[in-house]
Amino acid sequence: MAQEALDRVAALTQLSEDEQILRDSVLEFAERRMRPHVREMDEHAKMPRDLIADLFALGVMGIEIPESYGGSGASFFHAVLAVEALSQVDPSVGVMVDVQNTLVINALIRWASEAQKAQYLPALASRTLGAYALSESGAGSDAFALTARAVASGDGYAITGRKLWITNGNEADLFIVFANVNPQAGYRGITAFLVERGFPGFTVGKKEDKMGIRASSTCELIFEDCQVPAGHVLGEVGKGYKVAIETLNEGRIGIGAQMIGLAQGALDHAVAYVKERRQFGKPIAEFQGVQFQLARAATELEAARLLVYNAARLRDAGRPFLKEAAMCKLYSSEAAEHVSSIAVQLFGGYGFVKDYPVEKLYRDAKIGEIYEGTSNMQLGTIAKQLLG
Ligand SMILES: Cc1cc2nc3c(=O)[nH]c(=O)nc-3n(C[C@H](O)[C@H](O)[C@H](O)COP(=O)(O)OP(=O)(O)OC[C@H]3O[C@@H](n4cnc5c(N)ncnc54)[C@H](O)[C@@H]3O)c2cc1C
């Protein structure tokens, strides 16, 4: 291979100048602006409004939105870097920003009409938080079994049904809602709608009291004859299943980013702690048993990061990435759970109490194996790709 061609093949973790700048600035923000509030946000299960406003000011709420609509005009990989850096300090903030970028904005950029883009993209880049409402109480892994119904009404549709587990539900003002216009047609009746908070017949219901990522709101949404104008159909009527599949295929790379950020945060805490903590007259970092646990954790994290970055870079290159995205979500969520468990272990009793940060990261890690497709669903996707 010619030297010039070789030079172009960078290591996956080698960042361009603007990628490096973004990551550093988001990390600096996370340490300065978020770190002091992480414990309180977790305890009170609260996402402060002023923090959301500051994230908009930082420029991480509309990363892929073109500059002509007021966004950053950057890549999917940039969004992955931002989610990773935020999750290093607080995975709750990481997932809020992830849903905004990799699900909501992603779906609008791909499927919205020009009029819808002009109406919503500038708002999403500057002040409006979005949410993505697919799941229902009886439709989780089998998402297309959803029963929310949309019937023609006036110049648009009336939606009736309930959505469950909706991230950002408490703070969002724009919701992508999936409902079926023709249940006889099965999944081919599923349609995506742009629903604003305040539309008549739409209310945000109970907020869940969760084990982890407690500051990230997870809410029920209730639609009672909710009136939605015809111009608020996102994509085509009956093509909502495509909107869902395509955005979720990409969104799970964002969850991979959340998980590697979390694992990095846990590993950093553990490395600092073992150098300080003394037993048997020396820092516990000097015991080979401790060193080996850290080395294993660092290796798992590195492998997970390579999977996440590769999937994101394939997506930006317009190459197939379905299997790689499923692998990165599967592996990074397992790695995050294991790395945060090792961190708790190395803190000993101090790892088990809330005065130290690793207890929270351990609780936060579990969700990675559940949302945006459980680990079994990722294994199913990978197996299908393998077997053809
Ligand atoms: C904190 C949180 C935030 C969320 N945010 C959102 C959101 O913003 N928007 C949204 O739409 N949804 C959201 N969800 C929903 C989430 O995507 C679902 O919980 C998830 O897809 C799993 O669905 P379920 O809970 O119904 O579990 P189920 O589908 O009932 O699964 C239960 C178990 O059965 C296994 N299982 C199911 N089917 C199979 C099969 N065919 N083969 C093998 N194993 C199987 C699963 O792997 C799992 O272990 C969120 C959930 C949580 C907890």
Side-chain angles (χ1 to χ4, degrees), residues 158-162 199-203 221-227:
I159 300 180
T160 300
R162 283 170 182 249
F199 273 14
F202 170 39
T203 45
L221 308 181
I222 302 159
F223 301 89
E224 291 165 316
D225 216 11
C226 169
Q227 299 298 313

Side-chain angles (χ1 to χ4, degrees), residues 59-133:
V60 294
M61 297 303 257
I63 294 175
E64 274 194 280
I65 293 179
E67 286 174 37
S68 53
Y69 291 108
S72 303
S75 67
F76 185 81
F77 189 74
H78 285 91
V80 157
L81 287 177
V83 171
E84 180 189 0
L86 293 168
S87 303
Q88 214 165 308
V89 175
D90 192 347
S92 288
V93 179
V95 73
M96 177 177 71
V97 172
D98 174 59
V99 168
Q100 172 85 351
N101 283 286
T102 75
L103 293 182
V104 176
I105 288 169
N106 193 356
L108 270 120
I109 289 176
R110 188 182 302 231
W111 297 95
S113 65
E114 271 317 310
Q116 290 169 338
K117 285 183 184 171
Q119 184 177 358
Y120 289 116
L121 290 182
L124 285 163
S126 60
R127 61 184 180 281
T128 299
L129 185 66
Y132 187 90

Side-chain angles (χ1 to χ4, degrees), residues 99 103 131-142 164-168 210 213 218 367 370-377:
V99 168
L103 293 182
Y132 187 90
L134 177 64
S135 303
E136 298 178 2
S137 60
S141 298
D142 188 11
L164 203 61
W165 314 118
I166 307 309
T167 299
N168 298 348
K210 305 196 299 296
I213 56 161
T218 309
I367 191 59
I370 298 173
Y371 57 16
E372 292 203 32
T374 64
S375 290
N376 275 357
M377 293 300 108

Side-chain angles (χ1 to χ4, degrees), residues 230-381:
H232 283 232
V233 170
L234 178 64
E236 285 173 50
V237 174
K239 291 281 168 58
Y241 72 95
K242 279 191 108 176
V243 177
I245 289 172
E246 291 187 13
T247 42
L248 287 170
N249 284 344
E250 301 187 351
R252 64 180 56 117
I253 306 173
I255 300 303
Q258 182 201 25
M259 290 293 120
I260 59 173
L262 187 160
Q264 185 68 61
L267 182 62
D268 290 348
H269 289 304
V271 167
Y273 184 78
V274 298
K275 291 181 188 165
E276 293 292 319
R277 175 68 175 170
R278 296 177 73 87
Q279 288 292 281
F280 301 97
K282 51 172 124 164
I284 60 172
E286 291 184 21
F287 299 116
Q288 195 180 53
V290 167
Q291 293 169 4
F292 282 8
Q293 281 172 286
L294 286 170
R296 185 167 295 283
T299 306
E300 286 177 24
L301 169 56
E302 183 72 4
R305 180 171 285 126
L306 293 174
L307 285 171
V308 173
Y309 284 13
N310 189 48
R313 290 203 191 276
L314 284 172
R315 187 276 192 189
D316 276 337
R319 307 295 293 266
F321 62 88
L322 182 61
K323 183 181 69 184
E324 291 78 2
M327 286 175 166
C328 93
K329 181 310 211 129
L330 173 77
Y331 187 79
S332 62
S333 55
E334 289 176 356
E337 199 184 355
H338 193 213
V339 171
S340 58
S341 171
I342 289 174
V344 168
Q345 190 68 26
L346 292 177
F347 270 71
Y350 300 98
F352 205 64
V353 295
K354 291 179 188 292
D355 289 341
Y356 292 83
V358 290
E359 175 268 350
K360 173 184 180 293
L361 292 175
Y362 185 50
R363 283 187 285 110
D364 287 351
K366 185 63 205 176
I367 191 59
E369 294 174 344
I370 298 173
Y371 57 16
E372 292 203 32
T374 64
S375 290
N376 275 357
M377 293 300 108
Q378 307 309 323
L379 288 166
T381 300

